Amino acid sequence: MRLPADPEFMAGVGHDLTTGCSGLLIATLYRAVPVGVLLGRAEPAGAGGPPLLEFMRPIPSVAIIPLAILLIPVDELMKISVIVYASVWPILINTLYGMHDVDPLAKESLRSFGFGPLAVLTRVSLPQRRPVRGDGRQDRRGHRARPGRSAPSCWPAASTGSASS
């Protein structure tokens, strides 16, 4: 148990955490969320994404490492690039499906009051976009279960204290 007390080890852990968080931040703010919002607003629900997106999505991030070694010098840039690639897909797909789950009536209501596309995006679409659960469970209405909505149908109903069943 001498490793946690070793300053060199702790410096390495801090460096790795900084690199990982930097890659995740870049993937979230500059890649996945903006692209997911654009694709989520542009394409109808259920349609496939652009061919390049659908081609790149199933490639595992581990398979990109040899290509990254050949194209990018082995330093922080390569590490962050691989982290960004690995992090983009779950965030992008989550954002894309979250944009499709935004209530169309709320968007149309705002448009009917004369608000433009940017106002609809910032006042309705982005606030209503919530993370989608990855386990595939749905609630009783057929919606994917999300925090703040009803529990999935496979969960037992909460007891209300009434004796009628």
Side-chain angles (χ1 to χ4, degrees), residues 94-112:
N94 197 355
T95 304
L96 182 65
Y97 288 142
M99 290 297 292
H100 286 304
D101 282 348
V102 173
D103 184 19
L105 182 62
K107 293 192 295 190
E108 287 301 319
S109 297
L110 209 59
R111 286 187 193 116
S112 69

Side-chain angles (χ1 to χ4, degrees), residues 22-160:
S22 299
L24 186 60
L25 187 69
I26 291 169
T28 302
L29 295 179
Y30 300 112
R31 298 284 188 262
V33 172
V35 172
V37 167
L38 287 174
L39 290 176
R41 288 187 66 204
E43 67 177 277
L52 181 62
L53 178 77
E54 294 300 321
F55 173 73
M56 294 292 288
R57 187 173 76 171
I59 298 174
S61 57
V62 176
I64 296 296
I65 293 173
L67 183 64
I69 290 172
L70 288 174
L71 299 177
I72 305 170
V74 179
D75 61 353
E76 291 306 305
L77 178 62
M78 185 197 69
K79 294 174 190 175
I80 290 175
S81 299
V82 172
I83 292 169
V84 167
Y85 181 81
S87 303
V88 158
W89 301 113
I91 299 168
L92 174 67
I93 299 304
N94 197 355
T95 304
L96 182 65
Y97 288 142
M99 290 297 292
H100 286 304
D101 282 348
V102 173
D103 184 19
L105 182 62
K107 293 192 295 190
E108 287 301 319
S109 297
L110 209 59
R111 286 187 193 116
S112 69
F113 284 114
F115 288 94
L118 185 61
V120 171
L121 177 69
T122 58
R123 293 181 183 208
V124 175
S125 297
L126 289 178
Q128 281 192 5
R129 179 193 55 83
R130 293 190 178 104
V132 177
R133 291 178 64 154
D135 58 4
R137 292 187 287 183
Q138 296 181 343
D139 65 9
R140 290 182 183 91
R141 296 175 299 215
H143 296 104
R144 284 188 297 277
R146 298 185 301 198
R149 295 184 70 176
S150 65
S153 59
C154 62
W155 290 0
S159 173
T160 58

